Amino acid sequence: MKIKAMLVDDEINIVRNLEKVIPWEAMNIELIGTAANGAKALDLAREGKPDLILTDIRMPVMDGIELLRELRQSGYEGEIIMLTGFQEFDYARSAVKYGARDYILKPIDYEELQLVIERTAAGIREIKINELKETAKWRELSELAYEKILLDLLMDYTSFPLHRLREEGDRSWLDQRYWMLLVDLDDYSQIARQDERERKLVHFAVRNVLQDALSPELAEYAVLLTREGEWCVLIPLPATGLPAAAMAASAPQRLRAWSEQVQQAVERYVKLSVSIGVYPSPLEAEELADAYRKVQRGLQLSLENRHILIHEQTAVTDATGSSFWGLADGLAAGLTQGDAAKIEQTLEELGRSIKEAGGHHSMRAEQMLHFLCLHLLREMRSVGLLGSSQEQTVWSKLEDSLNVKELVECIHLLIRECQQVSTGRRKSPELLMASAREYIQKHVARDLGVEELAQHLGISNSYFSLLFKQHHQETFLEYLTRERMELAKSLLLHSDKSVTQIGKLAGYAERRYFTKVFHKYEGMTPTEFRERAKPGAAELETEEETADGV
C-alpha cells in the first residue's frame, strides 16, 4: 500500500539530500511535494493530504511548531516527524503535545531517519488497512440494507418513509435519481425446467456478471433480482454540473451502450442471451415501482431475442395490452390471496379480451396468452405457490399448446395446480397472517426477520412479504417497529424498569439504537416520554441518555 509524504525545510540542500538519500520508492512512499516554510507547507498539506510530513522546526514565515499546531487544529490526522538542531532539542520536545510522532537531531543520521520513517510508515499502513476492513464491512452491510429497501420499493412492497433514511446520512442512494435497465433471460422457459440447484447456479453466475459488466465505467450501481430470470439494474445519476437538458439528450445513447455491454458480458461469460428494457428518464426512488412495471410489460410482450427496448413515455398506450396487463395482475393477485371469486371474474374478463384481440385465429391473442402463462408461472414460483411437480405439469402442457383454445386450457390448468398447492397448506391467507401476528407477539424481543417468519409459516419469503403488505397495508418491518414501540411505551408508563432494560424487552439489544428509533417514532426520547407521563420518574435516566448522543 503506497502512502504519501511531504518534506518541509528552508535549507534546499537538506531537502535535496532527503529526496535522494532516503529510498522512498523502495519503501513504497510517494513524495507529493516540498515546501520552504510552514505557511506554504500548510497549503500544500491541505491540497495533497499527505500521510507523513517531515518538517524542520526553525523556518521563516511559519516555523515547524506553529505548522504542527495549525495542522492539528484543521483536523489533520497524519504523522509528523520533526527535524531539529541540538540547541533546539528542548523546544522540539514541546511538539509532542501536538502529536509529533518523533524528532531527529541535525546533522541528520540518514540511517536512523530511514528506520524511523519505515517504522512510522508501517504504523500508517496498519491503520489504513484496519480502516479499509471496517469500511468494507460496513459498506457490505449498508449496501445489503439499502438494496433490500430499493427492492421493496421496486416491487411496491413498502411505503417506507424515505426521509427517515435520508436523515441517517450513511449513504445517499435514496437521495439520488436512477436510470433503470431491466435484464431478462431470453431462454427462461428452458432454464426454468432445470432442477433448483442448476437454476441457482445460473442466477448466481448472471448476477455476478451484471455486477461487473459496467464497473469499468460506473463507480456503483445496484443489481436486484426481481424474479427468476429477471434483474433490475439501478444506476445512480452522477453528480455533475451538466444541465438537466444536456444529460437527458445524451442518456439514450449512453443507456443503449451500457445495455450492449451487459448483453455482450452475459453472452461471453454465461453463454446466454438477454433482452433489456430501458427506462431512459431519471427516476426518483418513489417512482421505481411504476417504471419497473411499465418496462417489464413492454419487454415481456416483445417476441424478439437479444432485444434492447427503450420505453417510450409519449407512446399511445395499447388499450388491449393495457387491459391484458390488468387481467394478468388480477389473476396473480387472486391466486396469491386465494380469492376464488376474483379468479373467476378475471377469467371471464380474459375471455372477452381474447375476442377483442381477434378471436381464435389471432396471432396477437396467442402471443398474449402464451406470455400470460409464462408470467403466471414466474410469479407463482416467486411466491411459492407451485411445487416442482405441479410446475412440470404446466410446462408440459404449455409446450403442446399452439392455439388460443389450448393456451386457455393451460392457464386453467395452472390455476388448478396453484389452488391445490394452496389447499394443501390448509391455511388461508387470513390464517397465515393471524399465525404471523401471534408469532411476532411471542418473539417481539428477538431479532426477528422475514426469513424466520416465512419459514415458520412454511411459505416463501416473497409470498410472506406480499401477503403481509396486502393484509396490513404496511411492511413487516414497519409493523414490527410499531409493535415494539407500543410495548416500549407501555413498559415506560407502567413499570420501573430502566430504559436499557425496556429496550431489550422490546427487541433492541443496544440502548443507543433503541433511543434513536424511539425518538424517530415518538419525536422524543424514552426518558422524555416517561418524564412527561410521570414527572420525576426519569431523573436517573437523564445523564445516561445524554451520553447516548440523542
Side-chain angles (χ1 to χ4, degrees), residues 150 153-154 162 166 172-180 234-237 279 281-292 313:
L150 283 175
L153 287 165
L154 193 68
L162 299 181
R166 294 185 177 110
S172 57
W173 279 47
L174 294 171
D175 282 325
Q176 298 193 35
R177 293 180 298 162
Y178 299 87
W179 283 311
M180 177 187 291
L234 295 178
I235 304 168
L237 266 69
Y279 199 92
S281 301
L283 295 163
E284 302 288 344
E286 294 89 340
E287 299 171 324
L288 292 175
D290 182 61
Y292 164 64
Q313 293 172 277

Side-chain angles (χ1 to χ4, degrees), residues 288-306:
L288 292 175
D290 182 61
Y292 164 64
R293 289 299 178 190
K294 287 177 179 176
V295 175
Q296 185 191 58
R297 292 173 183 185
L299 187 62
Q300 292 300 310
L301 288 174
S302 172
L303 293 177
E304 298 180 53
N305 282 349
R306 212 174 185 280

Side-chain angles (χ1 to χ4, degrees), residues 242-488:
L242 290 175
M247 291 190 68
S250 64
Q253 294 84 358
R254 192 180 311 177
L255 290 166
R256 180 171 288 278
W258 287 338
S259 298
E260 290 172 354
Q261 281 182 236
V262 167
Q263 287 181 326
Q264 292 165 6
V266 175
E267 192 166 358
R268 177 180 179 184
Y269 295 108
V270 194
K271 310 304 180 188
L272 294 172
S273 70
V274 294
S275 291
I276 299 178
V278 178
Y279 199 92
S281 301
L283 295 163
E284 302 288 344
E286 294 89 340
E287 299 171 324
L288 292 175
D290 182 61
Y292 164 64
R293 289 299 178 190
K294 287 177 179 176
V295 175
Q296 185 191 58
R297 292 173 183 185
L299 187 62
Q300 292 300 310
L301 288 174
S302 172
L303 293 177
E304 298 180 53
N305 282 349
R306 212 174 185 280
H307 185 46
I308 296 176
L309 180 68
I310 308 292
H311 174 71
E312 298 291 343
Q313 293 172 277
T314 57
V316 177
T317 302
D318 179 346
T320 304
S322 178
S323 171
F324 171 75
W325 265 107
L327 296 174
D329 290 343
L331 276 177
L335 287 168
T336 55
Q337 295 170 17
D339 190 337
K342 187 171 187 176
I343 293 170
E344 187 64 31
Q345 179 186 351
T346 307
L347 287 173
E348 291 177 3
E349 293 177 9
L350 177 63
R352 291 194 293 271
S353 178
I354 292 171
K355 292 179 181 179
E356 291 173 6
H360 291 267
H361 302 289
S362 171
M363 286 292 292
R364 175 70 165 163
E366 290 174 3
Q367 175 191 350
M368 291 167 62
L369 287 171
H370 191 272
F371 164 72
L372 179 57
C373 281
L374 289 175
H375 177 71
L376 289 176
L377 275 165
R378 295 173 84 166
E379 292 294 302
M380 295 307 101
R381 169 181 277 176
S382 70
V383 298
L385 271 181
L386 272 182
S388 58
S389 60
Q390 288 87 357
E391 191 175 331
Q392 288 300 325
T393 300
V394 178
W395 278 116
S396 297
K397 174 65 176 175
L398 183 59
E399 282 184 345
D400 297 331
S401 299
L402 302 176
N403 56 43
V404 169
K405 180 182 177 181
E406 291 170 345
L407 287 166
V408 170
E409 290 174 355
C410 186
I411 290 171
H412 281 275
L413 173 64
L414 187 152
I415 291 170
R416 289 195 301 272
E417 295 293 341
C418 286
Q419 289 174 328
Q420 286 179 10
V421 172
S422 181
T423 303
R425 287 190 176 120
R426 299 200 179 109
K427 279 189 179 181
S428 67
E430 289 76 16
L431 288 175
L432 285 170
M433 290 300 98
S435 178
R437 290 192 296 272
E438 180 182 1
Y439 192 88
I440 291 170
Q441 290 171 359
K442 287 182 179 179
H443 302 91
V444 71
R446 292 236 326 268
D447 183 19
L448 281 176
V450 169
E451 293 80 4
E452 181 177 339
L453 264 295
Q455 185 175 6
H456 171 71
L457 298 174
I459 59 179
S460 69
N461 296 348
S462 56
Y463 186 44
F464 172 80
S465 297
L466 184 62
L467 280 184
F468 206 95
K469 178 70 183 294
Q470 289 172 344
H471 281 72
H472 296 285
Q473 282 70 57
E474 61 183 343
T475 67
F476 165 71
L477 179 59
E478 292 166 338
Y479 179 91
L480 180 62
T481 301
R482 181 165 55 80
E483 288 291 306
R484 285 173 165 172
M485 291 299 102
E486 292 303 316
L487 172 61

Side-chain angles (χ1 to χ4, degrees), residues 1-5 7 18-32 114 117-118 121 125:
M1 177 185 293
K2 182 165 284 190
I3 64 174
K4 297 186 291 185
L7 307 177
L18 287 171
E19 288 178 317
K20 293 178 180 179
V21 175
I22 301 297
W24 302 103
E25 188 174 343
M27 292 190 293
N28 207 17
I29 298 175
E30 176 190 2
L31 283 178
I32 64 167
Q114 181 176 335
I117 292 172
E118 287 176 341
R125 289 192 178 93

